[in-house]
Amino acid sequence: MSSDHEQTLVRKTRIGIIGAGISGIAAAKELSSYNPTVFEATGSIGGVWEHCSFASTRLQTPRCDFEFSDYPWPERDNASFPTHVEILDYLRGYAAHFDVLNYVKYNSRVVEIRYVGEHATLASPRRERGMLSSTEFGSLLKGQPVWEVAVETGPSKTIQWYAFEFIVMCIGKYGDMPRMPVFPRDKGPEAFLGEVLHAMDYARLDEDGAKNLVRGKKVAVVGYKKSAIDLAVECAEANQGPEGQPCTMVIRTLHWTVPSYWIWGLPFFLFYSTRSSQFLHEKPNRGLLWTLLCPLLSPMRRAISKFIESYLVWKLPLVKYGLKPNHPFEEDYASCQMAILPESFFPEADKGKIQFRRASSRWWFWSGGIEFEDRSQLEADVVILATGYDGKRKLQSLLPEPFRSLVVDSSGVMPLYRGTIHPMIPNMAFVGYIESVSNLHTAELRCKWLAQLVNDKFKLPTVEAMIRQVSQEMEVMKRATRFYKRHCISTFSIDHSDELCREMGWSPWRKSNWLTEAFSPYSSQDYADQKATKKSD
């Protein structure tokens, strides 16, 4: 792209939002008083629910846990798991109800972002490393542009520049940039005579196209997370009858799967999603008493994990198919990798329509399919790579230096204060990058927090204090799970919400009495604005 502005620089609003998925529409609603401009690269809102879902994709949490605080589901049913079509209808209804669609510019892809703030030259070595002083955060809206954004629009791909005082990045971790395996020379997809595609490409097919791709074919699905499981079920359902071929899941790392949100007759939320249950787990900013208590509580944490594992091994044929993970269940929960199984998954496996093949970290292609490190081979006509997405690289492709190199720290995660603010990137927020059990709930609450921050209702702490907070969270994650790079706050999500509430001046205690406060699960409804009880001065 040319370094000069060949088109007119348009100053539309003080706030720009990039992406119109769940986080983008929540941010637009909470920041609506600033008349934000929302750039959406596609022709519709919805993010991954619109562009990375399959026909069989359903919500992974009960409907009641995936709900905006001020927009209930129609005919709300706490026990159901909506389809991606129902979720899109819900999101569109929310956006229409709050006039969010008026802010969205469709088919507007952001291709470049420039920093033009007060210290845009970044002349000193300290600034070249992105080390901004705490005073540079100050008031987030100062009346002067801080960022310029180049947007490509329409079939003509015309470039238009916009200037903003503040940008909210909501492009998400999933979609757009697939994470592709690295293969030895001459042993990549080019060596395979069949068809290779990523799950992202499969999601773009219509229902008939998807069925025709896998019907009567030997299909290998690489992966064992939610997308891979859904793909295997769709492949099996398309291959019923004598002419149908089995689908083989190629699995490197096993994760725990659950059939429902009930464990030995008890609701799952009792184990991890209440204030009392989260008391058992380590959290950031722990005091001396908490430091002493945590080791004493570790046997109870392990006992809960074993209790859940015992039910899953009894309920599901994990041992029969070699699918029992070697790590504790609590590690998958702590890293947001617990997957809800479709009801037909193991019945299809029992019929031989879904098969399983364990693989080491090394595998590659040969002309007839996949070859493993032990030289054994798996024949295939189609290989679908459910290997995830590279959200960090997607984000880095937009940000300028030196901020690009700051997106991921030395531990491989994105350091975000309150899951939203990078301590060393000024006048920019990131929503939807740190996971929890209900990403909609945390995205909405962080957007409420962000709106109050932008409105100057409270101040950010110093850069040093923010970095210290993020570092403490990462240390907790590292002790909780080997999969800490996913940066999930599930085991201390209530404490995280408490901190957001305190900074907004809200009471962190959101329930009507101590009994429900201790033993009932938290949801978005607990953080509705009308419950925002102000602290006394």
Side-chain angles (χ1 to χ4, degrees), residues 337-377:
Q337 297 197 97
M338 180 186 73
I340 299 292
L341 282 177
E343 292 182 3
S344 60
F345 182 74
F346 278 116
E348 292 294 342
D350 292 338
K351 292 191 294 185
K353 294 300 182 181
I354 298 177
Q355 300 178 354
F356 308 97
R357 179 69 178 266
R358 294 297 306 277
S360 67
S361 59
R362 289 177 55 81
W363 61 272
W364 46 82
F365 286 97
W366 63 290
S367 60
I370 291 175
E371 185 172 88
F372 302 96
E373 199 168 21
D374 62 1
R375 300 301 176 182
S376 61
Q377 295 178 327

Side-chain angles (χ1 to χ4, degrees), residues 301-334:
R301 292 197 301 270
R302 289 195 294 270
I304 290 172
S305 183
K306 288 291 185 184
F307 181 75
I308 296 173
E309 291 165 32
S310 69
Y311 173 77
L312 298 178
V313 171
W314 170 77
K315 184 72 173 179
L316 303 174
L318 301 179
V319 175
K320 173 183 176 181
Y321 290 111
L323 299 178
K324 181 179 178 295
N326 293 323
H327 57 267
F329 173 85
E330 63 180 335
E331 289 198 39
D332 276 344
Y333 184 82

Side-chain angles (χ1 to χ4, degrees), residues 307-458:
F307 181 75
I308 296 173
E309 291 165 32
S310 69
Y311 173 77
L312 298 178
V313 171
W314 170 77
K315 184 72 173 179
L316 303 174
L318 301 179
V319 175
K320 173 183 176 181
Y321 290 111
L323 299 178
K324 181 179 178 295
N326 293 323
H327 57 267
F329 173 85
E330 63 180 335
E331 289 198 39
D332 276 344
Y333 184 82
S335 56
C336 296
Q337 297 197 97
M338 180 186 73
I340 299 292
L341 282 177
E343 292 182 3
S344 60
F345 182 74
F346 278 116
E348 292 294 342
D350 292 338
K351 292 191 294 185
K353 294 300 182 181
I354 298 177
Q355 300 178 354
F356 308 97
R357 179 69 178 266
R358 294 297 306 277
S360 67
S361 59
R362 289 177 55 81
W363 61 272
W364 46 82
F365 286 97
W366 63 290
S367 60
I370 291 175
E371 185 172 88
F372 302 96
E373 199 168 21
D374 62 1
R375 300 301 176 182
S376 61
Q377 295 178 327
L378 172 66
E379 292 186 359
D381 302 307
V382 178
V383 175
I384 305 177
L385 303 173
T387 49
Y389 299 88
D390 198 336
K392 298 185 182 80
R393 185 163 62 93
K394 178 169 64 169
L395 197 58
Q396 288 173 319
S397 69
L398 290 180
L399 290 176
E401 288 292 0
F403 307 112
R404 179 181 303 150
S405 58
L406 299 173
V407 169
V408 180
D409 66 13
S410 58
S411 65
V413 300
M414 189 173 176
L416 294 177
Y417 176 73
R418 303 299 184 227
T420 309
I421 297 293
H422 194 296
M424 292 180 288
I425 302 181
N427 289 55
M428 182 176 284
F430 303 81
V431 183
Y433 291 90
I434 295 181
E435 297 181 69
S436 69
V437 174
S438 175
N439 290 326
L440 183 148
H441 161 57
T442 50
E444 184 191 27
L445 186 57
R446 287 169 186 159
C447 288
K448 291 176 183 288
W449 176 89
L450 178 61
Q452 295 216 23
L453 174 64
V454 169
N455 289 334
D456 210 23
K457 299 295 185 182
F458 65 92

